[in-house]
Amino acid sequence: MMRLGVLVSGSGSNLQAILDACAQGRIAARVAAVLCNVPGARALERAKEATIPAILLPHGAYQRREEYDARVVEELRLNDVNLVCLAGFMRIVTPVLLRAFPGRVLNIHPSLLPAFPGMHAVRQALAAGVRISGCTVHIVDEGTDTGPIVVQVAVPVLDGDTEETLAARILVQEHRAYPRAIELFASGRATAAGNKVAVRGGQGDPARSIASPPVDDASAWAPATGDAGTPAPDG
């Protein structure tokens, strides 16, 4: 069974989604350790409630990121971790961690990468005026949100959306996408090759799509009109 190491900085809602999926048998894996860099983070309590080692490693005690990541790697290895999951971990990881777990570090990002990498992805999407956004689980490489994509889930951007309302809808999908991505690795169905991840089986309906505004629902269409609300001429 695959052993997961989850790195967190905040409330840990994605951690909870992973814990729940493991407990329900939807993933052939278990969370072996939770590492957090922020004292008092709710994620630590979630780990303790699940009787999982909750390891607090404040980053302020380390002068260099590489030194911190070396300590993280030490803890992950002590807990026999096979797959590392960044779940709201608000630090840039270094090659020290990536080379210790080559191709085995996942991250979730609140946009449809490669669009809107980096900080404030939801704010970037709203500023750009996109009609569809979503989330991406990807393998972490040495770039900024540039690694091979494992799972993506899309949501419509609604008129009147704020950064908070859109982020909340995306977060709901993050809780579905992250366990799915882990399951693909745990079952051996996901294979990384170059900048792509091949997924064996379960590709879904090739005709399925998401549109915003809807393009197929006739009830969402307003009658075509010309100036002053008069029907538009044919042709």
Side-chain angles (χ1 to χ4, degrees):
M1 180 174 287
M2 182 168 282
R3 294 172 62 85
L4 311 176
V6 185
L7 276 56
V8 293
S9 295
S11 69
S13 68
N14 270 306
L15 165 63
Q16 190 65 58
I18 295 167
L19 289 170
D20 292 345
C22 290
Q24 295 162 7
R26 292 188 286 124
I27 304 174
R30 65 182 297 264
V31 178
V34 173
L35 282 75
C36 181
N37 65 317
V38 178
R42 169 73 175 112
L44 289 168
E45 294 303 314
R46 294 182 191 271
K48 292 174 183 176
E49 290 165 3
T51 65
I52 290 167
I55 303 161
L56 175 62
L57 288 177
H59 57 268
Y62 300 83
Q63 292 187 346
R64 300 174 61 245
R65 290 184 183 273
E66 290 81 3
E67 294 173 357
Y68 181 81
D69 281 4
R71 184 73 180 88
V72 169
V73 169
E74 180 181 349
E75 288 290 346
L76 294 172
R77 286 177 169 163
L78 283 172
N79 287 279
D80 297 321
V81 165
N82 311 119
L83 184 69
V84 181
C85 303
L86 310 184
F89 188 58
M90 303 307 290
R91 286 183 61 78
I92 297 173
V93 300
T94 70
V96 171
L97 175 61
L98 300 180
R99 292 170 188 170
F101 296 90
R104 289 281 168 167
V105 181
L106 300 181
N107 183 48
I108 190 157
H109 184 76
S111 80
L112 295 176
L113 293 172
F116 315 123
M119 297 292 289
H120 309 300
V122 177
R123 187 182 306 171
Q124 292 182 61
L126 288 172
V130 299
R131 300 298 306 186
I132 293 175
S133 187
C135 60
T136 302
V137 183
H138 64 98
I139 298 173
V140 181
D141 62 11
E142 295 185 23
T144 301
D145 299 320
T146 55
I149 291 169
V150 185
V151 172
Q152 291 186 304
V153 183
V155 301
V157 179
L158 307 179
D159 292 340
D161 257 337
T162 65
E163 188 173 352
E164 292 73 23
T165 60
L166 180 55
R169 287 206 313 284
I170 291 174
L171 185 61
V172 171
Q173 302 309 319
E174 290 182 27
H175 296 165
R176 299 173 63 225
Y178 218 158
R180 175 61 166 155
I182 295 168
E183 185 273 332
L184 290 172
F185 276 90
S187 65
R189 292 171 57 200
T191 305
N195 67 339
K196 293 185 178 181
V197 174
V199 176
R200 178 168 45 84
Q203 293 293 303
D205 180 0
R208 185 174 57 184
S209 66
I210 178 172
S212 178
V215 296
D216 295 321
D217 182 1
S219 66
W221 290 53
T225 60
D227 292 339
T230 57
D234 293 339

